Amino acid sequence: MTELEKCTAGEYYNCHDKIFLDMKSNARKLLQEYHALAYEQKEEKRHILQQLFGEIGTNVSVGLPFICDYGQNIHIGNNVSVNMNCTFVDCNKITIGDNVLIASNVQLYTATHPVPLSERLTPDRKEETEQYFCRTYALPIKIGDGCWLGGGVIVLPGVAIGEGSVIGAGSVVTKNIPKNSLAVGNPCRVIRKINEDMCNV
């Protein structure tokens, strides 16, 4: 398997492989151009986002500043608002559905490392070299249609948030959230069902 295939499959991969460095370099270039544009330069902004993201629907806004790792692993539907100062670490796929609100300071992290130190460190590392010293893997994140992520929400690797759900400000989402749920806290927990009157629409 190539390093890219390992990454996509959720296995340990070399994040300093040339393919990732090239992807990151391209993303940094496009982000620099994006940040240089004025607020009202909507068409120019969309043109850059079309190059940066793997997929982008209609009526999508991404506030400044915005940070992502590769860009091409981000797939966004229609009618999506990403507010200012959001960070998408898209080492694996980030899928955002239609009619989604993402508030300021939201962080979506697909990349992670093993918790035990013995597993986290690269077994054949050499202290005197520039070799990356720890293992990395990445798991996809999915945000369903009609979701709203409040300010400062953090979504961890491998999490799926069901359609119609609302995540309260400041929450840390460590596990999947079912659809049509209001969930808050650290760790984020469902406190009640919502949108029940729309389930049969």
Side-chain angles (χ1 to χ4, degrees):
M1 296 177 73
T2 66
E3 294 302 317
L4 181 59
E5 288 170 337
K6 291 177 187 177
C7 177
T8 303
E11 299 181 5
Y12 295 138
Y13 71 99
N14 176 13
C15 60
H16 287 181
D17 188 85
K18 184 178 185 302
I19 189 168
F20 301 116
L21 297 180
D22 288 347
M23 289 162 59
K24 187 171 290 190
S25 176
N26 182 62
R28 294 295 182 273
K29 172 181 172 290
L30 291 171
L31 285 171
Q32 186 175 26
E33 294 176 10
Y34 189 75
H35 283 81
L37 294 174
Y39 178 80
E40 62 272 11
Q41 292 181 278
K42 306 293 187 182
E43 290 185 15
E44 293 88 343
K45 285 184 175 181
R46 178 167 179 81
H47 179 66
I48 291 175
L49 292 179
Q50 286 174 324
Q51 297 176 71
L52 178 64
F53 293 158
E55 186 178 7
I56 182 172
T58 59
N59 195 28
V60 174
S61 64
V62 178
L64 299 176
F66 174 75
I67 299 173
C68 65
D69 233 6
Y70 305 144
Q72 67 182 51
N73 288 333
I74 299 171
H75 298 259
I76 298 181
N78 303 314
N79 302 320
V80 174
S81 174
V82 179
N83 215 318
M84 69 184 86
N85 205 40
C86 289
T87 300
F88 292 3
V89 181
D90 62 312
C91 299
N92 207 317
K93 191 173 184 179
I94 294 176
T95 305
I96 299 170
D98 299 333
N99 305 310
V100 172
L101 299 175
I102 296 180
S104 302
N105 301 303
V106 167
Q107 302 164 65
L108 308 181
Y109 296 130
T110 66
T112 188
H113 312 282
V115 173
L117 181 60
S118 60
E119 295 178 24
R120 195 182 327 138
L121 296 177
T122 306
D124 57 351
R125 70 192 184 283
K126 297 179 181 178
E127 301 293 344
E128 68 276 8
T129 69
E130 296 287 328
Q131 179 187 12
Y132 197 54
F133 63 91
C134 70
R135 287 172 163 151
T136 301
Y137 64 101
L139 301 173
I141 287 174
K142 183 174 183 180
I143 312 297
D145 295 346
C147 287
W148 172 22
L149 277 56
V153 165
I154 298 173
V155 181
L156 297 188
V159 166
I161 299 176
E163 61 185 47
S165 289
V166 174
I167 309 300
S171 297
V172 179
V173 190
T174 62
K175 295 180 180 179
N176 292 350
I177 301 296
K179 67 180 181 178
N180 297 318
S181 301
L182 175 61
V184 301
N186 180 9
C188 190
R189 292 184 175 89
V190 175
I191 59 173
R192 65 181 172 91
K193 299 297 289 183
I194 55 175
N195 303 323
E196 293 178 345
D197 58 331
M198 298 184 67
C199 291
N200 297 320
V201 174

